[in-house]
């Protein structure tokens, strides 16, 4: 998910070091990282392009076999069957050329890019006292996304998790199966260290995906947000507890949330604040990842 083009308010120096995301990547270091990760049984992402490479090679081999079978059959190229033979050889010939000239090189490049990005994101996480997991099982948080009715086989990809007392995690892709469909989210979970009333912030710019998510709270009257916040979001207090919205959702945070695009919703439960995205976060893009961690910074500033 790409941030919007709206200008965001300036703030103090960042608490995260973003240099590892922009520094040149040494191919030798990526190769060593890949070898060590492969020995440890780690995949670069949930969707490993190694399978795409294998499929391209298998496709080329199958097409060549079919061409050999057709050629060795010594079938006559006479009408009316000639058109079938031309179609047969044309199809498997084109398949062979496509797999060898496009499929195999493209899958090799994508596999290289996966490991390069995995190395770069791991380097960023290590520099900032986080762990980075290319893939893991689903989380048992209290937030709405983690308890969707009928959800099966939850899993996460591109997971950044803090290693210090300021507990947070940023997840680029959270998926589960439901009714034979794959459902995808992105999310941020941050522990504020103090109890909060149950609050629900819904974006007015709804993406088609999950457009009805948290809609049950829209029956109550929204709370007035600071600045232009009410033009972008609706804030509800399901518990009925009165709260000054700027304590949690000040104008700076709301502007950054809006910058993430459509379908951004927020929920507070217990001591945690959850930010949900109706589409996965494109964390391999530096500007997107930075925008996510700038939001983490803003929320952690409120931690007590």
């Amino acid at each position: 998910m790409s941030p919007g083009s709206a200008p965001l308010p300036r703030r103090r120096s960042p608490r995260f070091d973003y240099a590892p995301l922009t520094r040149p990547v040494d191919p030798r270091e990526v190769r060593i990282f890949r070898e060590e990760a492969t020995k440890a049984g780690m995949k670069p992402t949930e969707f490993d392009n190694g399978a795409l490479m294998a499929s391209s090679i298998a496709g080329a081999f199958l097409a060549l076999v079919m061409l050999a079978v057709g050629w060795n059959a010594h079938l006559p190229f006479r009408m009316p069957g000639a058109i079938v033979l031309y179609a047969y050889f044309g199809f498997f010939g084109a398949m062979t050329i496509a797999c060898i000239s496009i499929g195999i090189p493209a899958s090799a490049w994508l596999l290289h890019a996966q490991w390069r990005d995995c190395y770069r994101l791991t380097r960023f996480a290590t520099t900032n006292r986080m762990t980075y997991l290319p893939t893991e099982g689903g989380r048992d948080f209290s937030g709405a996304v983690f308890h969707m009715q009928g959800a099966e086989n939850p899993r996460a990809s591109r997971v950044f998790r803090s290693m210090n007392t300021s507990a947070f995690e940023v997840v680029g892709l959270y998926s589960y199966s439901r009714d034979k469909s794959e459902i995808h989210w992105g999310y941020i979970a941050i522990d504020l260290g103090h109890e909060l009333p149950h609050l629900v912030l819904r974006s007015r710019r709804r993406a088609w995906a999950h457009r009805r998510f948290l809609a049950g709270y829209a029956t109550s009257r929204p709370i007035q947000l600071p600045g232009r916040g009410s033009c972008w979001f609706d804030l509800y207090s399901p518990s009925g507890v009165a709260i000054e919205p700027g304590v949690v959702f000040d104008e700076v945070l709301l502007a950054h949330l809006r910058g993430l695009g459509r379908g951004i919703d927020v929920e507070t439960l217990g001591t945690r604040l959850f930010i949900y995205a109706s589409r996965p976060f494109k964390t391999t893009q530096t500007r997107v990842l930075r925008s996510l961690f700038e939001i983490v910074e803003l929320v952690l500033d409120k931690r007590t």
Side-chain angles (χ1 to χ4, degrees), residues 77-267:
F77 284 83
R78 294 194 299 267
M79 297 300 291
I83 190 170
V84 176
L85 285 176
Y86 282 121
Y88 178 91
F89 283 101
F91 173 79
F92 286 108
M95 181 176 172
T96 302
I97 294 172
C99 289
I100 294 176
S101 64
I102 300 176
I104 294 176
S107 57
W109 184 87
L110 288 172
L111 186 60
H112 168 74
Q114 275 191 338
W115 282 108
R116 181 198 60 205
D117 290 339
C118 185
Y119 170 76
R120 186 170 57 87
L121 298 177
T122 301
R123 184 173 65 180
F124 167 71
T126 303
T127 300
N128 290 285
R129 291 189 53 78
M130 293 182 288
T131 57
Y132 174 70
L133 298 172
T135 180
E136 69 166 6
R139 298 284 277 163
D140 189 23
F141 281 141
S142 56
V145 161
F146 313 100
H147 297 276
M148 301 293 281
Q149 186 176 5
E152 298 178 345
N153 189 30
R155 57 213 179 275
S157 299
R158 305 192 301 274
V159 181
F160 298 87
R161 186 170 294 129
S162 66
M163 298 172 60
N164 53 32
T165 55
S166 301
F168 65 86
E169 65 182 46
V170 176
V171 177
L173 172 63
Y174 188 80
S175 306
Y176 52 81
S177 304
R178 188 174 65 184
D179 299 329
K180 299 182 180 180
S181 298
E182 287 292 313
I183 312 298
H184 304 294
W185 300 82
Y187 77 81
I188 303 173
I190 307 173
D191 191 342
L192 287 176
H194 60 90
E195 196 76 17
L196 291 169
H198 186 198
L199 300 173
V200 172
L201 185 78
R202 296 192 78 234
S203 173
R204 289 192 168 188
R205 298 194 300 163
R206 308 301 303 171
W208 180 259
H210 315 307
R211 64 193 179 281
R212 298 296 300 166
F213 180 60
L214 298 177
Y217 300 110
T219 57
S220 59
R221 184 174 181 180
I223 300 171
Q224 181 67 33
L225 288 164
R228 298 185 60 195
S230 292
C231 298
W232 307 329
F233 298 94
D234 290 315
L235 177 64
Y236 304 96
S237 176
S239 60
V241 175
I243 184 172
E244 177 60 40
V247 173
V248 180
F249 300 110
D250 58 35
E251 191 172 4
V252 177
L253 177 58
L254 293 174
H256 277 74
L257 291 172
R258 181 176 181 269
L260 293 180
R262 294 178 178 270
I264 300 297
D265 301 309
V266 185
E267 183 179 28

